[in-house]
Amino acid sequence: MSDSGVPSALVDAPQTGFSGNQNGARTDRHEQQAVYDIMKATGNEWATEIPDVCRGRWHGIECMPDKNNVFHVVSLSFGALSDDTAFPTCDPTRSSISPSITKLPHLRTLFFYRCFTDMPIPSFLGQMGPNLQTLVLRENGHVGPIPIGLGKLTGLRVLDLHKNNLNGTIPVSFSRFTDLRLLDLSSNRLTGSIPSLAFPQLTLLDLNQNHLTGSIPTSIGNCDSLMKIDLSRNRLSGEIPNSINKLSRLILMDLSYNSLSGPVPTTLNNLDSLQALILNGNPLSSTIPSTAFDELKNLTILILSDTDLYGPIPESIARLPHLRVLHLDRNRLNGSIPTTFRNLNGLSELRLNDNQLIGPIPFGKEMVWRMRRKLKLENNFGLCYDGRNGFGDDLGSLSGSGIDHCDTPKTGPAQTVQHISAANETEPVRPSRSVANSGVSFNGGKSR
């Protein structure tokens, strides 16, 4: 059996890319001709001079033998990912995908990176059969809709169409991908709603930077293996569905820059693996529930900027032991900064600017110095500094910022901590995205 559950005649052997010194080993002649056609279509005519494509030590091809010692092509890769890769490059001005690709019945992986210009995804790719597990057409400039026929590739585990010029809707035929692990349709121009999701093995869902509308489907709760969700920079509306509370393995959730409404769901408490929650740029228009994040003990990044939040900052945020980045800026939060915030010893970035906060800043000298320009408190109603927190008469790094001792009379709204603010830091923090191979590697946040 193949990895996709389809009967296979191939011997379970390493995919070395060539047959070594086995006597009598040869490549299937029909597949050899198909590879010649595919290479010529990508501008690599030189490949026709290779006597045996599976024994020619070509890095972009992998082969496996059957019981008769006949080698079959199982992987084809094109495009220079980096200086360290030796995949055949393409000539984007004249490259195409040859229909001969359908003559490789054992193909499991097909990878094209920056190979084409203004070319639709060929509908004949849907004829490649259930053996195909990985289809990557990344940054190729593909135009037009996603072919409905791709839904016939029922063995797919990875579908990556990132950063093309695709339009139209996400085909409902994708529901046939019952073994899908990674779905990346990001940075396209897709419209319409997100179809019902029922991928129990899916670990990564990335649909960011499209024009998707409608609500987040409640069926997302059926994808209980999800580790990363990125639906940012679309036009999604409605509330965040409570079914998200079933995603106990979720590490990152980015729903920023949509039109999602509040309230902030209290069911987020069930996501005890969550490390990054990014909701900025949505009109949530609600308070922050006092217990919304109580159980998120692994949370390191919490981004709630520009969400029209109002009311006090709950003290429960200070009980997040691993919190490193907290953005609550450009809201309508009022009251004082909880004194328990002084216990956030791991905090390296804090934005509370452009709110309606008043009262003493509860941070000591060491905490202020540690964050430096990552601490933003300007444009609040009346923040002040208690000299007993370590600065005394000398305000040190706060000198000239407009913050006075709390017992100093003020004549107007304070202009706070301007000089330790990064004036150009307007983009949210995002975690690293080393997920191209269907895993998630999360290394914390950094400013873009």
Side-chain angles (χ1 to χ4, degrees), residues 123-142:
S123 58
F124 58 71
L125 292 183
Q127 302 172 24
M128 296 179 65
N131 275 324
L132 192 69
Q133 297 177 10
T134 298
L135 178 60
V136 177
L137 304 175
R138 193 173 178 89
E139 297 187 34
N140 285 307
H142 287 301

Side-chain angles (χ1 to χ4, degrees), residues 32 36 39 46-58:
Q32 171 120 343
Y36 287 162
M39 291 292 285
W46 54 266
T48 58
E49 299 178 5
I50 299 175
D52 189 313
V53 295
C54 285
R55 299 188 63 178
R57 297 178 181 266
W58 164 27

Side-chain angles (χ1 to χ4, degrees), residues 310-325:
Y310 55 87
I313 301 173
E315 291 193 8
S316 58
I317 292 178
R319 295 194 290 270
L320 299 173
H322 301 293
L323 195 63
R324 292 169 52 193
V325 176

Side-chain angles (χ1 to χ4, degrees), residues 2 8-11 13-19 26-39 47 50-66 69-78 88 100-112 128-134:
S2 72
S8 174
L10 300 182
V11 175
Q15 298 180 25
T16 59
F18 60 95
S19 61
R26 65 193 185 280
T27 300
D28 180 281
R29 63 186 181 88
H30 298 293
E31 295 185 34
Q32 171 120 343
Q33 183 58 52
V35 171
Y36 287 162
D37 295 343
I38 295 163
M39 291 292 285
I50 299 175
D52 189 313
V53 295
C54 285
R55 299 188 63 178
R57 297 178 181 266
W58 164 27
H59 183 58
I61 186 172
E62 294 180 359
C63 302
M64 289 181 68
D66 62 19
N69 212 22
V70 175
F71 275 73
H72 301 279
V73 179
V74 296
S75 178
L76 285 176
S77 299
F78 295 87
S100 292
I101 202 82
T102 61
K103 298 177 182 178
L104 301 175
H106 301 280
L107 198 67
R108 297 179 182 176
T109 298
L110 182 61
F111 181 100
F112 285 102
M128 296 179 65
N131 275 324
L132 192 69
Q133 297 177 10
T134 298

Side-chain angles (χ1 to χ4, degrees), residues 257-401:
Y257 297 107
N258 280 286
S259 297
L260 298 172
S261 56
V264 177
T266 56
T267 52
L268 292 173
N269 257 332
N270 294 332
L271 307 181
D272 52 11
S273 296
L274 197 65
Q275 295 182 28
L277 177 60
I278 305 173
L279 301 178
N280 56 300
N282 285 288
L284 298 180
S285 301
S286 70
T287 60
I288 304 175
S290 60
T291 59
F293 312 117
D294 273 357
E295 302 303 319
L296 304 185
K297 302 304 182 184
N298 291 302
L299 199 66
T300 61
I301 296 177
L302 178 58
I303 309 294
L304 296 173
S305 310
D306 287 305
T307 49
D308 196 33
L309 294 173
Y310 55 87
I313 301 173
E315 291 193 8
S316 58
I317 292 178
R319 295 194 290 270
L320 299 173
H322 301 293
L323 195 63
R324 292 169 52 193
V325 176
L326 175 61
H327 291 185
L328 298 174
D329 52 301
R330 297 189 294 274
N331 284 297
R332 292 186 288 137
L333 298 170
N334 57 30
S336 60
I337 303 173
T339 57
T340 50
F341 269 40
R342 68 166 62 98
N343 301 322
L344 290 170
N345 296 321
L347 203 63
S348 60
E349 184 168 335
L350 175 63
R351 299 183 187 177
L352 297 176
N353 55 285
D354 297 279
N355 278 289
Q356 301 170 11
L357 300 172
I358 60 173
I361 299 167
F363 315 128
K365 180 190 300 184
E366 291 184 2
M367 190 171 185
V368 171
W369 283 358
R370 183 177 71 245
M371 286 189 281
R372 295 182 183 273
R373 292 183 179 276
K374 301 293 185 180
L375 174 62
K376 300 188 71 175
L377 301 173
E378 69 269 19
N379 299 325
N380 276 286
F381 274 5
L383 291 174
C384 59
Y385 200 88
D386 189 335
R388 292 173 296 180
N389 285 356
F391 283 84
D393 292 332
D394 179 9
L395 294 180
S397 67
L398 298 179
S399 178
S401 65

Side-chain angles (χ1 to χ4, degrees), residues 50-185:
I50 299 175
D52 189 313
V53 295
C54 285
R55 299 188 63 178
R57 297 178 181 266
W58 164 27
H59 183 58
I61 186 172
E62 294 180 359
C63 302
M64 289 181 68
D66 62 19
K67 61 183 179 181
N68 297 316
N69 212 22
V70 175
F71 275 73
H72 301 279
V73 179
V74 296
S75 178
L76 285 176
S77 299
F78 295 87
L81 279 171
S82 69
D83 293 339
D84 298 325
T85 59
F87 297 155
T89 57
C90 307
D91 181 351
T93 63
R94 61 188 183 97
S95 291
S96 63
I97 301 177
S98 170
S100 292
I101 202 82
T102 61
K103 298 177 182 178
L104 301 175
H106 301 280
L107 198 67
R108 297 179 182 176
T109 298
L110 182 61
F111 181 100
F112 285 102
Y113 175 69
R114 294 185 176 178
C115 278
F116 316 111
T117 302
D118 296 334
M119 185 191 82
I121 296 176
S123 58
F124 58 71
L125 292 183
Q127 302 172 24
M128 296 179 65
N131 275 324
L132 192 69
Q133 297 177 10
T134 298
L135 178 60
V136 177
L137 304 175
R138 193 173 178 89
E139 297 187 34
N140 285 307
H142 287 301
V143 295
I146 301 172
I148 297 175
L150 291 189
K152 298 177 183 178
L153 304 176
T154 54
L156 277 185
R157 294 185 175 189
V158 173
L159 178 59
D160 184 344
L161 305 179
H162 167 76
K163 202 171 184 180
N164 289 289
N165 289 306
L166 298 170
N167 56 29
T169 60
I170 300 173
V172 295
S173 60
F174 281 12
S175 62
R176 302 172 188 169
F177 302 150
T178 56
D179 209 25
L180 199 65
R181 267 73 162 173
L182 181 151
L183 178 61
D184 188 343
L185 306 179

